[in-house]
Amino acid sequence: MSSNAAAVLQARELQKEHTKEKLAVLMVEDSPAYAELVLRELRKEPLDLSVALVDAPQQFERRLNESVPDVILADYNLGEWRGVETLDVLRRLGLDVPVIIVTGALGDVTAVECIKQGATDYVLKEGLARLPEAIRRALREKEERRLRRQVEEDLARKVDELARSNADLEQFAYVASHDLQEPLRMVAAYTQLLGERYRGKLDANADKFIGYASEGAQRMQVLIQDLLAFSRVGRKEMVGAEVDCNGVIKDVMVVLSTAIAESGVTISCDDLPTIWSDRTQISQVFQNLIGNAIKFRGKEKPRISVAAGKDGEVWRFSVSDNGIGIPREHTENIFAVFHRLHTRSEYPGNGIGLSICKKIIERQGGRIWVEAVPGGGSNFQFTIPVHGEVAA
Ligand code: ADP
């Protein structure tokens, strides 16, 4: 071989040496001869091995405190203790290290027992050729466990952060709207007083300006009250009870009787179920949905139908109308706070009703959405768990 070729070969060997996977093995074995047999098998693999050997419980624990190995190969029968007992120590120390039982003979029952107690695998000493693959599998599984734990921890942290930021926002909305009410009440009262005392006594512009200021203050009061109502939904404790939805609809019709009479709407209602819910809140949902169906009526004579049916584990309600409908691209964002598709002069409102409905339904473990009605109109649907628990 030329000296050049020898140098290339040597360099390759060095590189291989460099790229070898590191593996720290802790052997729990009281027979040096067996330990040597196991090592011989492992040395056949392209591994950068570091091996420590212990044979007594105290020694095992001391070794773990010094450094944590990648894998533990434990003999089953160690005289005064057993290899599976290493698992108790690992659990106590909160360590996730795969343990492979390497043993001369192991009955099926004992083997199953070892796995049950948490051993990753077992390898018989006559079948040591299987050991490298058993180690690789154990390490793969450990890595998968680590990744799974990481994903779960990330998710839990994100959920926690979201809950905290939602609670902060809710608190902010509550405090802001609550504390703004008082100064605003003063602005509204004094602009109204100005209007009453000085109307016609200044010039025409002054009357107009005072009118605008007074109207603006009143509008802001309504907005703030709505915002307060929205943040209260999340703060108020829910009172779970059996609620007959037929009774709820009857009450809602009474509240909306003026709008019903003025619009000439026909409301048809199926026989509705009795559900587990918070009566006040579910009434608010029906009132908002039916109120909207009346408000956003089209040119045709308005018709509304309310229906419900069991859909697996949930009750599914629908409130559909033949009104102006909702463009597909807005079917999601109309549920956001203050989101509206029209000016107040076209249709009155503040865009808070549907966001309150969404909050109420989601708090009860349900879902709310809207679909288009073929031929025009909207079909609002929501679900409530059949065996729902009303969270506080
Ligand atoms: P508001 O009724 O005060 O505007 P909502 O939050 O109840 O607020 O509704 C948000 C928007 O969703 C409404 O402004 C309207 O554009 C649309 N919308 C709600 N219900 C209907 C409906 N039944 N038909 C058509 N559009 C609707």
Side-chain angles (χ1 to χ4, degrees):
M1 192 188 297
S2 73
S3 64
N4 248 356
V8 169
L9 268 183
Q10 202 181 357
R12 272 196 201 143
E13 282 305 309
L14 268 176
Q15 196 181 4
K16 254 200 236 163
E17 198 61 31
H18 227 72
T19 50
K20 271 183 185 173
E21 204 181 327
K22 279 192 162 49
L23 184 72
V25 179
L26 177 55
M27 284 180 70
V28 186
E29 174 65 82
D30 56 358
S31 155
Y34 264 141
E36 187 47 43
L37 270 180
V38 171
L39 269 183
R40 204 177 299 161
E41 204 55 51
L42 290 181
R43 284 203 196 99
K44 290 183 192 163
E45 296 294 310
L47 288 168
D48 181 2
L49 271 182
S50 69
V51 181
L53 184 67
V54 296
D55 64 359
Q58 299 85 347
Q59 218 186 345
F60 174 66
E61 194 159 338
R62 211 175 315 127
R63 185 77 216 184
L64 283 179
N65 282 328
E66 283 164 17
S67 71
V68 178
D70 297 314
V71 66
I72 292 169
L73 306 179
D75 190 1
Y76 181 73
N77 213 336
L78 290 156
E80 60 173 304
W81 64 309
R82 303 208 175 286
V84 272
E85 288 172 47
T86 54
L87 291 160
D88 298 333
V89 180
L90 290 172
R91 258 192 291 274
R92 181 157 44 76
L93 298 179
L95 295 174
D96 180 14
V97 183
V99 173
I100 298 176
I101 303 292
V102 184
T103 183
L106 196 66
D108 284 349
V109 176
T110 321
V112 169
E113 195 48 40
C114 287
I115 302 288
K116 254 199 207 153
Q117 288 187 36
T120 309
D121 205 345
Y122 67 93
V123 174
L124 296 181
K125 282 178 180 167
E126 300 88 75
L128 278 182
R130 208 174 73 73
L131 186 59
E133 180 46 34
I135 293 181
R136 268 193 290 276
R137 195 166 64 91
L139 294 178
R140 243 188 345 260
E141 284 175 8
K142 182 186 168 185
E143 180 59 9
E144 281 165 14
R145 275 201 301 278
R146 192 187 65 78
L147 288 175
R148 220 173 13 245
R149 258 199 317 270
Q150 198 178 340
V151 169
E152 280 166 5
E153 276 166 22
D154 280 357
L155 194 67
R157 209 181 35 250
K158 294 224 162 75
V159 168
D160 205 47
E161 274 168 21
L162 197 65
R164 210 160 337 118
S165 91
N166 267 349
D168 284 353
L169 265 179
E170 213 157 76
Q171 174 75 3
F172 172 77
Y174 180 77
V175 171
S177 44
H178 186 264
D179 292 4
L180 281 174
Q181 272 191 320
E182 189 47 44
L184 193 57
R185 210 171 285 139
M186 261 171 73
V187 175
Y190 281 99
T191 43
Q192 196 184 342
L193 201 65
L194 270 177
E196 283 165 13
R197 286 248 180 108
Y198 298 101
R199 184 166 302 118
K201 295 195 179 134
L202 303 167
D203 59 22
N205 269 344
D207 283 356
K208 216 160 51 188
F209 296 161
I210 293 171
Y212 290 154
S214 174
E215 197 187 301
Q218 278 165 19
R219 230 169 49 213
M220 206 192 270
Q221 273 181 317
V222 175
L223 272 175
I224 284 176
Q225 274 158 16
D226 283 351
L227 194 58
L228 205 53
F230 176 75
S231 63
R232 273 192 184 128
V233 174
R235 300 169 66 87
K236 220 176 122 212
E237 201 176 301
M238 291 207 269
V239 186
E242 301 251 309
V243 180
D244 172 11
C245 294
N246 298 301
V248 170
I249 296 292
K250 259 192 212 134
D251 292 352
V252 168
M253 301 267 226
V254 172
V255 176
L256 296 176
S257 54
T258 311
I260 292 173
E262 278 174 9
S263 62
V265 66
T266 317
I267 302 180
S268 66
C269 185
D270 280 4
D271 186 29
L272 300 179
T274 293
I275 60 170
W276 184 260
S277 181
D278 178 309
R279 195 177 203 285
T280 313
Q281 297 204 344
I282 206 72
S283 306
Q284 209 173 343
V285 171
F286 277 115
Q287 190 175 318
N288 282 341
L289 294 183
I290 296 176
N292 276 349
I294 298 174
K295 180 162 65 174
F296 297 104
R297 60 187 179 273
K299 295 204 170 68
E300 287 178 38
K301 185 175 163 10
R303 267 181 289 109
I304 298 173
S305 61
V306 183
K310 212 181 210 173
D311 188 356
E313 290 298 298
V314 294
W315 287 112
R316 181 172 172 153
F317 290 85
S318 84
V319 176
S320 62
D321 62 55
N322 62 342
I324 60 170
I326 297 164
R328 185 184 288 273
E329 64 273 24
H330 292 297
T331 50
E332 297 238 342
N333 54 24
I334 49 165
F335 291 95
V337 184
F338 293 142
H339 202 98
R340 312 197 69 231
L341 307 180
H342 312 276
T343 61
R344 249 189 336 276
S345 54
E346 289 171 289
Y347 296 96
N350 289 326
I352 205 99
L354 288 181
S355 51
I356 289 183
C357 292
K358 184 171 154 73
K359 205 167 191 182
I360 291 175
I361 296 299
E362 288 182 353
R363 269 188 104 195
Q364 299 197 14
R367 207 165 69 78
I368 184 166
W369 70 100
V370 64
E371 288 171 8
V373 172
S378 314
N379 181 3
F380 280 85
Q381 300 189 42
F382 65 88
T383 59
I384 294 283
V386 172
H387 306 288
E389 291 212 356
V390 175

